[in-house]
Amino acid sequence: MKLFKFLLFSAVIVSAVCVFEPFSLKLSYEKGLQSVKDYAQAYFNEPVSYDEGEVLEETYFELRYDLTDPDLDVSSLKFKGVKTLNTEDEWKSYMDFCIKKGYVHIFFEVPEKMTPDTDYFLIFYDISAVTIYTYPPDRGLKIMGYTLTYTYAYDILTAVKNNSLDRLDAKKLAAYNAAQSFLSTISELSDYEKELAIHNYVCEKITYSKDEADSDITNCYGGLINGLGNCQAYTDTFSLLCGLEGFNCGRITCTADGVDHSLNYIVINGGYYFVDCTFDDGISDPDRGYGLFYFNAPYNIISADHVFSELPFEPVYTIDEAHWYYRNGLYAVTPEILEQIYRNIAENSSEGEILFNTQYGSASLTDIFTKYPCGYKKISVSKFTFGESYEILKFSLSS
């Protein structure tokens, strides 16, 4: 009987130790923690239940926490099953997946010394801002969180795709209605004509602005409603209009003239081209209006004054039918071709313009005019230079 009582008492003691052992994690986290799941269960109250590697749903945090609040008590956040990313490539693949899903809040774990390049978002995706949160567990790994701000165009196009326009705020809905109003005027055009009309409309509608006090200079509301914006407003407006028309179009960033810059890419017949409405508007003068040098520009043209750290696609490299000057027979690669294009124009019109590639020789329209006056006595020539290899020569003739 005494032996039975002794064994029973011992069993109770062992059971008690087993039951209370998990609480020892709070006292000795270095030895007891083997994964982020353990860390979350030990140091965050009532951790939510997610499958290993699953992205935490943004609605969970939007309902319970203001992640932009500097006074937020991080100990109140709840993590479980946060995905571990050991390399930059793993991080890029994971972020690509999350952004294509449209997640706003994304959490993951990386080695303590690893600092992912957040410019990656701004270069390759329709992301206008990134807020970063770091929760270091001091064990060689750190939990990181991102809150992503998507562009107006992305949000509007996503609402159209999901038939949820009622979820848009007043500004985004106003931008959508303004876009649809313009697009209704070009519905009968071909795809190429539509894209050209959109490009020209963006250049005509928006006046470049650097007014940082204006919160809408970076989006399509500022572009379509206020008619003011910086390069981000140009690209956001072009993305929205082309996206509503079904074009595969997006934005990408680079440096131009030594400063950060935003422009568009567009896919035509499977090829990636560049469109920079900001620069086409910026090279204008009162007589000339907007330009078309950066409309469906291949890489060898856009790289004349745009510098990309890397590209998420393989672009078309040489000028072809997608470019306006080439398509209209106004692209010259030698002085001899320049002369011929000039004569063709002058025989039927008193004005015109030609894109000239200076890599294969130089030429002067005034010199050409003396050989082929075509019945005129005066020629006025304006020259726009791009990089080291391209000139747009605009001329007018008079008797």
Side-chain angles (χ1 to χ4, degrees), residues 178-198:
Q180 290 289 44
S181 178
F182 164 70
L183 293 175
S184 66
T185 67
I186 63 172
S187 58
E188 301 301 318
L189 301 180
S190 67
D191 284 349
Y192 186 88
E193 291 169 335
K194 284 181 179 178
E195 188 208 350
L196 180 61
I198 289 170

Side-chain angles (χ1 to χ4, degrees), residues 163-276:
N163 194 28
S164 57
L165 290 173
D166 57 317
R167 297 183 62 183
L168 295 176
D169 62 29
K171 286 186 175 181
K172 291 174 184 175
L173 189 59
Y176 167 75
N177 289 331
Q180 290 289 44
S181 178
F182 164 70
L183 293 175
S184 66
T185 67
I186 63 172
S187 58
E188 301 301 318
L189 301 180
S190 67
D191 284 349
Y192 186 88
E193 291 169 335
K194 284 181 179 178
E195 188 208 350
L196 180 61
I198 289 170
H199 167 277
N200 295 349
Y201 178 73
V202 171
C203 291
E204 292 169 353
K205 182 69 176 178
I206 302 177
T207 298
Y208 188 83
S209 172
K210 290 184 177 180
D211 183 8
E212 295 183 359
D214 180 1
S215 61
D216 293 313
I217 64 168
T218 63
N219 60 57
C220 57
Y221 177 86
L224 291 169
I225 305 301
N226 299 334
L228 296 170
N230 60 18
C231 61
Q232 295 177 72
Y234 281 85
T235 56
D236 202 41
T237 303
F238 187 82
S239 290
L240 175 62
L241 294 170
C242 284
L244 289 172
E245 281 299 311
F247 290 102
N248 183 352
C249 172
R251 62 182 289 279
I252 189 169
T253 62
C254 66
T255 57
D257 297 329
V259 299
D260 292 338
H261 182 60
S262 176
L263 68 157
N264 292 101
Y265 69 82
I266 191 166
V267 180
I268 301 172
N269 296 327
Y272 284 82
Y273 299 82
F274 301 90
V275 179
D276 193 336

